[in-house]
Amino acid sequence: MIMGSRGVQGLPQEVFHMVLNCLENNKSSLRSCSLVCRSWLQASRPLLFATVSLYACEWRLVDFLGFLDTHSDITDYVLSLMLHKPMDEIVEGASDASVTPNTLARTARRLSRLRECQLYFVHIVPPSPPPPPPPEVSAVTDDLDEPPIDLAVFHIFGSSGQKIAPFIELLAHFRIGRLELELVTFEQYPAPPLPDVSRRIRVRELCADLETVDDAPFAILSALAPALAPGVLQAFHCSWREWNGCSAVGAFLRNAGHTIADLSLNMSVVSWVEDSGNAITRADWERLGLAACTAVRTFRTTMLLPTACPLADVADVRRGVASYRSLFALLPPGVRTVVISMSALSRAMGTRTTARSASGTVARGLIAVDFQEIEDALLALPDLEKVVIAMRAAQGAGAVAKAFPRLEERGVLEVRSGAALGGSFW
């Protein structure tokens, strides 16, 4: 190919962009390319600044705001802001990995195209009280009086002992498409005074992974429910380990569940049944507050039961089946789709053999599990259109279809392999 006297400069700009796009995840090479010439600098900047990663401390955010003052064009390039605690080195001023709500909100407000904010092991802390202004100076307007900042995703991971009040205040600055709380624990005692943000937190989809060793994560639900703006929350996905978490989740659903259309509850039902030695009854499940979720159209849960089991396990499995029957019997009548994860099916069988052959014959030494009670509860839903059995592996899909013959006959059963809950959880 003959490029003429201008050499590389004679190539169309589209070719430069194709080359740079291939280096999107290679920041070092992108920085080198940005030094080639002015046109490459301009083409590299949107990729270099698409994700800004900073050690989480107040002064670094203030410095970044100062940087934006002198490089205002950068604000249009930042799509994702990541704050994290340094894990492998000591950084002056960043050891506590803490930021205040107003400083983080001011930073996000400067980034006009920001769509995602991620906090890793970061604490949101209240600001130090400012000195009183002189009498002739008017008070500064609260940032909460400004329009909310739009975010597609706000992901918060691994903060231990987070204070509730500044956390709630931070959320009130944003209008969030998807709020993800993963392994975050909150201080419960003494109960801190909460900011006046009643019904001002705008979250469309809330994902709460509360599988920690104590009850601390549930403290956020009781504080968050009365702060949610009415009519905004459309989806709630929650995962927890302890039985007493059902009461906390139920209190949240009674307060905020009437607008939820997509509800996912990832619970350790089989472990609870084994620990208590009894099936979970309908009266027990009423603490979940499902009756308040009148708008739910899609319900997702996990059901770690095998389609066949050894004789010694039959009693426990039957109690598990009865427990899920009671749960499904409480689903709101408007539910149209039920997604059940049976991702542990192949593990439950061990290395022995699959539960059934292709013809449906039960393998030697295993007793087929009767799921008729669960089928009865699901088929009683007047608007039911689909029951999806989701599995991480294709092995055993035939056995699942054989285990739910009435759903198969009704034409509502669908067996899928892949992500257990269709991406509702991380």
Side-chain angles (χ1 to χ4, degrees):
M1 175 180 178
I2 300 175
M3 293 181 290
S5 59
R6 297 187 62 193
V8 174
Q9 296 300 319
L11 290 173
Q13 285 296 314
E14 291 80 1
V15 176
F16 295 148
H17 287 288
M18 291 174 62
V19 172
L20 295 175
N21 285 336
C22 293
L23 301 174
E24 182 177 0
N25 298 318
N26 190 333
K27 298 295 185 183
S28 177
S29 296
L30 276 174
R31 281 192 291 268
S32 298
C33 290
S34 69
L35 302 176
V36 171
C37 60
R38 185 179 298 275
S39 62
W40 280 42
L41 171 62
Q42 296 302 321
S44 300
R45 277 186 166 183
L47 298 174
L48 278 171
F49 291 98
T51 298
V52 172
S53 178
L54 300 172
Y55 289 137
C57 59
E58 192 77 357
W59 69 266
R60 283 189 175 271
L61 280 182
V62 172
D63 280 355
F64 182 59
L65 285 170
F67 172 79
L68 294 178
D69 287 337
T70 57
H71 299 77
S72 58
D73 57 320
I74 299 300
T75 61
D76 293 333
Y77 301 146
V78 181
L79 304 179
S80 177
L81 177 64
M82 181 187 303
L83 303 181
H84 58 96
K85 179 178 180 178
M87 306 300 291
D88 54 355
E89 57 181 305
I90 298 176
V91 178
E92 181 183 356
S95 58
D96 59 349
S98 60
V99 296
T100 62
N102 282 344
T103 302
L104 181 52
R106 283 172 51 211
T107 305
R109 199 175 294 280
R110 289 290 303 277
L111 306 173
S112 58
R113 298 183 61 207
L114 186 68
R115 292 296 174 261
E116 182 179 46
C117 187
Q118 304 176 58
L119 308 183
Y120 292 93
F121 303 100
V122 176
H123 279 88
I124 309 302
V125 298
S128 302
E136 65 276 7
V137 178
S138 59
V140 178
T141 304
D142 192 338
D143 286 349
L144 288 175
D145 294 332
E146 298 189 38
I149 306 162
D150 287 319
L151 277 183
V153 178
F154 201 156
H155 180 75
I156 304 171
F157 177 89
S159 177
S160 177
Q162 168 66 54
K163 295 182 182 298
I164 292 179
F167 183 83
I168 291 291
E169 181 182 346
L170 172 67
L171 296 182
H173 288 280
F174 296 90
R175 180 164 47 221
I176 305 169
R178 180 181 174 102
L179 174 61
E180 300 176 348
L181 305 179
E182 186 173 4
L183 304 182
V184 182
T185 61
F186 295 86
E187 286 189 359
Q188 299 185 94
Y189 306 105
L194 296 179
D196 184 17
V197 294
S198 178
R199 302 303 181 188
R200 295 181 66 175
I201 293 180
R202 310 156 190 88
V203 176
R204 188 183 64 82
E205 182 176 5
L206 173 59
C207 304
D209 182 355
L210 307 178
E211 292 193 11
T212 60
V213 296
D214 52 30
D215 299 335
F218 295 104
I220 188 58
L221 294 181
S222 59
L224 190 57
L228 290 172
V232 178
L233 186 65
Q234 301 294 315
F236 179 54
H237 313 299
C238 192
S239 175
W240 71 98
R241 182 182 301 171
E242 302 298 329
W243 167 251
N244 53 16
C246 294
S247 298
V249 173
F252 177 84
L253 292 177
R254 290 186 187 92
N255 193 315
H258 60 283
T259 61
I260 295 174
D262 191 336
L263 177 62
S264 304
L265 302 180
N266 184 12
M267 305 171 286
S268 303
V269 177
V270 172
S271 296
W272 299 339
V273 171
E274 291 176 351
D275 291 343
S276 67
N278 297 301
I280 303 172
T281 66
R282 181 167 177 159
D284 295 330
W285 282 126
E286 285 178 352
R287 69 187 62 195
L288 276 178
L290 294 177
C293 304
T294 54
V296 170
R297 297 297 177 262
T298 300
F299 177 77
R300 310 167 195 265
T301 191
T302 51
M303 190 171 73
L304 306 186
L305 295 174
T307 57
C309 65
L311 180 61
D313 296 337
V314 168
D316 278 340
V317 173
R318 286 178 177 170
R319 284 190 286 267
V321 170
S323 300
Y324 282 106
R325 181 271 320 274
S326 300
L327 172 64
F328 293 139
L330 287 176
L331 291 182
V335 171
R336 297 172 183 171
T337 302
V338 177
V339 182
I340 303 172
S341 169
M342 294 186 69
S343 58
L345 178 64
S346 58
R347 291 194 296 270
M349 298 307 149
T351 57
R352 227 183 318 226
T353 182
T354 55
R356 297 172 182 261
S357 67
S359 62
T361 305
V362 179
R364 181 178 301 177
L366 298 179
I367 307 296
V369 176
D370 186 356
F371 291 100
Q372 182 176 340
E373 294 179 66
I374 291 177
E375 289 185 294
D376 288 341
L378 293 173
L379 292 174
L381 294 170
D383 295 335
L384 183 69
E385 297 175 357
K386 184 187 301 183
V387 176
V388 179
I389 307 294
M391 304 171 60
R392 292 198 181 277
Q395 181 183 8
V400 171
K402 296 290 185 180
F404 296 91
R406 297 175 62 204
L407 295 179
E408 178 82 1
E409 180 182 353
R410 177 86 167 265
V412 298
L413 181 63
E414 181 178 334
V415 182
R416 296 180 186 170
S417 60
L421 289 175
S424 295
F425 297 99
W426 20 82

